Amino acid sequence: MAVLELYNRISESIDNHKVSAGVFIDLSKAFDTINHKRLLNKLEHYGFRGLALQWLKDYLYNRKQYVLFKNHSSSILDVNCGVPQGSILGPLLFLLYINDIESSSKLLRFLLFADDTNLFLSANSLSELISALNCELNCLSDWFRANLLSINIQKTKYILFGAKQKLRCAPPFNLAIDGISLDRVTFTKFLGVYIDEDLNWKPHTSYISLKISKSLGVINRVKSILPCDLLLSLYYTLIHPYLLFCNIIWGGASKLALHRLVCLQKRAMRILTHSHYLASSTPLFLHLKILKISDLYRYYICLFMYRAKNNLLPVSCSHHTRFVNRTPRYPMRNTNDFELMPFCTNLRRKYIGIVGPEIWHSLPLSLKTLNSEYSFKKSLFELLLEEYV
């Protein structure tokens, strides 16, 4: 959902002929530098009082640490800051600690996930964008200092998004925090997905192609000693997750960007069924009941739309779609559908708020009106699989 929101903001900005910047901030030992006193003050401000606050105080204070190596151990020291990593409460307490970061700026739009702090800003021109961003980054730096958190500037990167003409014609510029320049990159990893400045997803598809190639090598080496059902389990364990993760965002990439993945998935089908390396892959997909990459994209887009229609998505995702429910003028017309959002660019068209309704409207009415999500998923899967017959 965070990656989807990032794509929404960038594509909307480009669609409105603006330039944008995404700054991907890296915090130095974020979980280990949380100040206990400040954390408790914030918790009290949020309504933690009495026994609840005292319980959290006891949870944080009087912790000890030492290092044991073989038969030697260090002296025991007090843990004066930080939240316990690997615990259930650790990430939650960190999120509560940085929850007020949005108050540090009236212009920046934040995307937070655990200790991944990312911000976004748009403007009509690059010079206006850089000027505003430098000013806001100084305010953000003050917030980090006040909360005793430190930015790892060497690992903090930024990407510029916008029409190439606007970016090429801009004068030299410098983006900095505390006088130290930030590195501009063409792509970076954001919550497991490689975001690139063109949003064509080529860096990401190249990355997962490499991962899948290695997994295919493993499966190929054991195909002669394992039965088909175990080979299929290996496929769903080693390959399938890469094809699913954030598929609704990058799955609509161009055929050129997806070509390598398509070839690898076809090769996987031939390995799983011990088929000739030139055998037609469509019957193999049908035999194994596995959807092609393009159909996985359609499947999960439709599932997202079904959940949006039935209010099964988080409230924070409700703005991605607009469901209309009006009384039809004619009995045969179905108006219980999604409104198509306006767009100008092909980049914006691939946003789920636009491509989602297009794919959803192509489904038969009997499928869209199913009351059970399980029945919808089963029927949709069978519908897509029938196209291989």
Side-chain angles (χ1 to χ4, degrees):
M1 296 305 178
V3 181
L4 180 60
E5 183 61 31
L6 178 67
Y7 186 87
N8 174 32
R9 293 179 182 180
I10 295 171
S11 61
E12 183 181 36
S13 171
I14 294 175
D15 213 52
N16 293 326
H17 310 290
K18 295 183 177 182
V19 290
S20 310
V23 182
F24 304 87
I25 293 176
D26 185 86
L27 296 176
S28 298
K29 299 182 178 179
F31 280 73
D32 296 330
T33 55
I34 297 296
N35 183 273
H36 291 165
K37 185 177 180 180
R38 280 175 169 76
L39 174 59
L40 291 171
N41 287 338
K42 291 187 179 189
L43 291 174
E44 186 175 12
H45 174 75
Y46 290 139
F48 289 85
R49 311 244 165 76
L51 289 176
L53 186 64
Q54 185 61 42
W55 182 83
L56 287 166
K57 183 177 180 181
D58 291 342
Y59 176 77
L60 293 170
Y61 280 75
N62 299 319
R63 286 183 174 270
K64 310 288 183 180
Q65 66 179 8
Y66 75 102
V67 177
L68 176 65
F69 180 72
K70 293 184 178 179
N71 295 323
H72 303 280
S73 60
S74 67
S75 56
I76 298 175
L77 298 176
D78 293 325
V79 179
N80 297 318
C81 60
V83 291
Q85 294 197 43
S87 63
I88 295 175
L89 281 180
L92 176 61
L93 292 174
F94 179 82
L95 288 174
L96 289 168
Y97 189 79
I98 66 167
N99 185 61
D100 61 329
I101 192 173
E102 291 193 356
S103 63
S104 66
S105 171
K106 295 181 179 179
L107 297 179
L108 297 177
R109 301 176 71 179
F110 292 87
L111 283 173
L112 307 175
F113 188 89
D115 60 340
D116 281 317
T117 306
N118 310 281
L119 52 96
F120 176 83
L121 184 64
S122 297
N124 293 319
S125 66
L126 185 59
S127 57
E128 179 185 339
L129 174 68
I130 297 300
S131 176
L133 198 52
N134 274 320
C135 180
E136 295 304 312
L137 285 176
N138 286 331
C139 297
L140 184 63
S141 179
D142 292 338
W143 184 92
F144 279 119
R145 273 195 295 271
N147 287 274
L148 302 179
L149 295 172
S150 56
I151 304 174
N152 188 340
I153 297 182
Q154 284 70 32
K155 291 185 178 181
T156 297
K157 315 291 182 184
Y158 74 94
I159 300 179
L160 294 179
F161 306 95
K164 295 299 180 183
Q165 301 90 324
K166 284 192 174 184
L167 297 181
R168 276 199 300 263
C169 300
F173 59 88
N174 181 45
L175 193 62
I177 297 178
D178 295 335
I180 304 175
S181 298
L182 302 181
D183 291 333
R184 178 186 174 185
V185 294
T186 56
F187 64 90
T188 189
K189 199 171 187 180
F190 174 64
L191 300 179
V193 178
Y194 280 91
I195 307 290
D196 62 277
E197 60 183 1
D198 298 319
L199 293 181
N200 57 26
W201 308 113
K202 288 181 180 178
H204 182 69
T205 54
S206 298
Y207 166 73
I208 61 177
S209 293
L210 181 61
K211 294 288 187 180
I212 290 174
S213 294
K214 293 178 180 178
S215 299
L216 269 181
V218 173
I219 297 175
N220 192 42
R221 283 195 293 270
V222 299
K223 69 177 182 180
S224 59
I225 59 175
L226 293 180
C228 184
D229 58 334
L230 289 182
L231 291 176
L232 196 59
S233 295
L234 284 177
Y235 171 84
Y236 279 111
T237 303
L238 301 177
I239 296 175
H240 203 59
Y242 289 110
L243 301 178
L244 296 191
F245 186 67
C246 290
N247 179 276
I248 61 173
I249 300 164
W250 60 263
S254 66
K255 290 184 178 180
L256 180 61
L258 294 174
H259 176 71
R260 178 63 177 156
L261 282 177
V262 171
C263 293
L264 286 171
Q265 194 187 28
K266 289 180 178 179
R267 185 186 168 204
M269 298 304 105
R270 296 180 182 118
I271 291 174
L272 294 177
T273 56
H274 301 275
S275 301
H276 189 269
Y277 75 98
L278 292 177
S280 176
S281 61
T282 300
L284 305 181
F285 280 102
L286 180 61
H287 172 69
L288 295 172
K289 295 184 178 180
I290 293 176
L291 295 178
K292 299 177 182 179
I293 291 177
S294 57
D295 292 321
L296 281 173
Y297 175 65
R298 292 166 59 195
Y299 178 87
Y300 282 100
I301 288 285
C302 291
L303 184 57
F304 184 95
M305 303 306 289
Y306 178 86
R307 288 170 175 168
K309 173 180 176 290
N310 293 280
N311 298 317
L312 299 175
L313 291 176
V315 177
S316 58
C317 300
S318 59
H319 64 284
H320 290 301
T321 56
R322 301 172 187 168
F323 186 74
V324 290
N325 187 359
R326 295 188 295 267
T327 304
R329 181 177 298 179
Y330 302 102
M332 297 300 293
R333 181 173 295 176
N334 176 40
T335 58
N336 297 330
D337 262 328
F338 292 92
E339 180 183 342
L340 289 173
M341 300 180 186
F343 65 94
C344 298
T345 61
N346 190 47
L347 184 69
R348 182 63 176 169
R349 187 175 182 236
K350 295 177 181 178
Y351 165 57
I352 198 168
I354 297 167
V355 72
E358 290 180 353
I359 296 176
W360 176 261
H361 292 168
S362 67
L363 296 179
L365 181 60
S366 58
L367 184 60
K368 293 189 286 186
T369 53
L370 289 173
N371 294 324
S372 165
E373 182 178 323
Y374 173 79
S375 300
F376 175 80
K377 291 164 70 174
K378 182 180 178 182
S379 300
L380 177 61
F381 184 83
E382 291 173 351
L383 179 68
L384 294 173
L385 210 59
E386 281 177 7
E387 298 177 0
Y388 302 164
V389 177

